């Protein structure tokens, strides 16, 4: 079969929380000022209470509210495809599958967490939410979710992506959101960055600072984060839970699970339900996280406490980071330009359960074009990193003659990224060599944690 599709009645009704199954406890998030473990009260100015409970939950399974389940049905369950035409193009004995999240109205996996986050805010009477966005997939998803619940949305979009992908902010505005290129003059954090560097391309860390500052300044407003934190990863596990059922239909099981990683939510959402089998000793699947060489958090970062944002307003997270002040080169995979990763993913990487690979722009676009000509789908630059990892595994299987089963995450379509494809096809796409001195300089500004 080419496509494995679940019926709506088979859509999962609970999210999977990996925290109780981790090989060791997570280091707690810390208050950005006191460096003491954060309490629910510390997070209430930013997040709705239900989201805070999920962020700190040790329960393995968390029920998906019925209203969220109903809205999920707009696009879920998403299909699992067998990439048989790519297999033939590669002449590999490997079986390649991809979980296709681009079927959502926003074109990516991001509504999986945007809808529940806005739902929980609506229950508490919140009138507006603020957020950051890189390539615009998360901002689009939150704008879509805001339109479903009648909640205003303010998006701070990384300036490099704002300029590269103008139709992304048009999409957000179509759903009723207001969108500002970041760094902006609307916040103290943005004005400080612009004073120091008027032509700053921006970063997710800067955009988060602006969105958090905006939310804290208004009593009727909360902040919604698109990746990295536990509750975001939790919501995204709907991807992997569906994929498990679809592999039962295929009478197969992945030997390797691969995904692109910026903050880590899309990959964790796909991988963690399968990781549960590995942690329990039921399977010996390998897990590979693919990231950009221009922002190599897992492959070249440091595992330590760091802020999720440039201004240091958010709670300190124990994660692999290249420094909250690091400004990545303006690669087209804007959603992967984040300086850190989800603490759960970082722990598993540090303990050897997750491998990491870093790829340059031209090699991922080479695979994206080959994939489009074989399978027909044009994918986002972010997803192309996962594809690059999958192709590497398929070619390795060809060398050994091993018929391994490969699953990768197709996290979003590339319909708003044709400018990047234009540059690649014209031979004008640049790879960025990241000197170690830049990482060292950013890591030199890590916070000195006084208490844990």
């Amino acid at each position: 079969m080419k496509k494995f599709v679940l019926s709506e009645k088979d859509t999962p009704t609970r999210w999977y929380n990996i925290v109780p199954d981790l090989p060791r406890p997570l280091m707690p998030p810390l208050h950005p000022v006191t460096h003491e473990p954060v309490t629910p009260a510390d997070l209430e100015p930013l997040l709705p209470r239900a989201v805070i409970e999920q962020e700190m939950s040790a329960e393995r399974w968390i029920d998906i509210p019925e209203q969220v389940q109903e809205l999920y049905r707009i696009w879920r369950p998403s299909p699992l495809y067998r990439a048989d035409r790519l297999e033939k193009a590669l002449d590999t004995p490997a079986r390649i599958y991809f979980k296709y999240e681009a079927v959502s109205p926003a074109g990516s996996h991001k509504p999986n967490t945007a809808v529940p986050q806005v739902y929980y805010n609506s229950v508490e009477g919140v009138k507006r939410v603020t957020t950051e966005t890189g390539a615009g997939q998360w901002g689009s998803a939150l704008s879509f979710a805001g339109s479903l619940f009648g909640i205003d949305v303010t998006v701070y979009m990384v300036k490099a992506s704002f300029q590269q992908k103008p139709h992304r902010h048009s999409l957000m505005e179509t759903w009723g959101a207001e969108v500002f290129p970041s760094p902006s003059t609307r916040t103290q954090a943005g004005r400080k960055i612009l004073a120091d560097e008027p032509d700053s391309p921006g970063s997710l860390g800067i955009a988060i600072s602006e969105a958090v500052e905006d939310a804290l300044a208004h009593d009727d407003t909360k902040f919604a984060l698109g990746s990295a934190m536990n509750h975001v990863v939790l919501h995204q596990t709907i991807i992997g839970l569906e994929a498990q059922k679809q592999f039962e239909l295929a009478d197969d099981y992945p030997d390797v699970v691969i995904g692109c990683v910026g903050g880590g939510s899309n990959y964790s959402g796909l991988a963690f339900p399968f990781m549960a089998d590995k942690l329990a000793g039921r399977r010996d699947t390998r897990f590979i996280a693919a990231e950009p060489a221009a922002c190599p958090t897992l492959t070249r970062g440091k595992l330590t406490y760091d802020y999720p944002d440039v201004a240091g307003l958010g709670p300190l997270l124990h994660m692999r980071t290249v420094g909250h002040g690091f400004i990545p080169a303006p690669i087209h995979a804007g959603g992967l330009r984040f300086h850190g990763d989800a603490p759960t993913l970082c722990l598993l990487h540090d303990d050897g359960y997750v491998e990491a690979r870093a790829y340059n722009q031209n090699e991922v676009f080479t695979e994206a074009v080959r994939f489009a000509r074989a399978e027909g789908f044009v994918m986002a630059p972010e997803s192309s990193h996962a594809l690059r990892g999958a192709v590497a595994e398929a070619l390795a299987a060809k060398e050994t003659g091993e018929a391994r089963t490969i699953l990768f995450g197709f996290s979003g379509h590339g319909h708003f990224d044709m400018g990047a494809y234009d540059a690649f096809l014209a031979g004008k796409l640049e790879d960025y060599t990241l000197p170690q001195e830049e990482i060292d300089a950013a890591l030199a500004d890590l916070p000195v944690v006084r208490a844990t």
Side-chain angles (χ1 to χ4, degrees), residues 20-186:
D21 294 330
L22 291 172
R24 56 188 169 92
L26 276 176
M27 298 287 282
L30 304 180
H31 191 283
V33 177
T34 67
H35 293 181
E36 296 291 336
V38 296
T39 66
D42 293 329
L43 296 175
E44 283 190 6
L46 282 178
L47 305 173
R49 286 182 291 276
V51 166
I52 295 170
E53 290 174 4
Q54 292 176 356
E55 179 65 25
M56 298 183 166
S57 177
E59 296 295 323
R60 182 173 289 107
W61 297 100
I62 295 177
D63 290 339
I64 303 174
E66 289 187 8
Q67 190 172 355
V68 173
Q69 291 184 48
E70 178 185 348
L71 292 170
Y72 271 175
R73 293 188 194 109
I74 296 173
W75 73 97
R76 304 214 71 88
S78 68
L80 177 76
Y81 284 91
R82 174 80 180 269
D84 57 325
R85 293 177 60 84
L86 177 63
E87 295 168 11
K88 292 176 182 176
L90 297 173
D91 189 27
T92 177
R95 296 181 298 278
I96 306 173
Y97 297 83
F98 60 96
K99 183 67 166 156
Y100 187 63
E101 288 296 297
V103 292
S104 77
S108 77
H109 67 291
K110 292 293 189 178
N112 297 333
T113 185
V115 168
Q117 286 195 53
V118 175
Y119 163 77
Y120 290 123
N121 275 291
S122 72
V123 169
E124 292 191 11
V126 173
K127 303 299 183 186
R128 183 174 72 109
V129 293
T130 66
T131 199
E132 84 296 336
T133 195
Q137 290 182 346
W138 170 239
S140 300
L142 199 70
S143 303
F144 160 65
S147 73
L148 297 176
F149 291 96
I151 288 183
D152 294 334
V153 175
T154 300
V155 180
Y156 292 89
M157 185 174 183
V158 174
K159 185 177 291 182
S161 293
F162 187 93
Q163 295 168 344
Q164 289 168 347
K165 310 175 200 296
H167 294 111
R168 266 292 174 192
H169 48 86
S170 298
L171 182 63
M172 298 178 218
E173 291 162 355
T174 299
W175 277 313
E178 55 178 0
V179 188
F180 301 98
S182 173
S184 76
T185 58
R186 288 172 50 86

Side-chain angles (χ1 to χ4, degrees), residues 3-4 102 110 121 222 230-231 250 276 310 326 355 422 443:
K3 182 170 59 177
F4 301 89
K110 292 293 189 178
N121 275 291
K222 299 286 187 183
N230 293 348
H231 65 275
V310 169
F326 178 75
E355 306 167 39
D422 284 345
L443 291 176

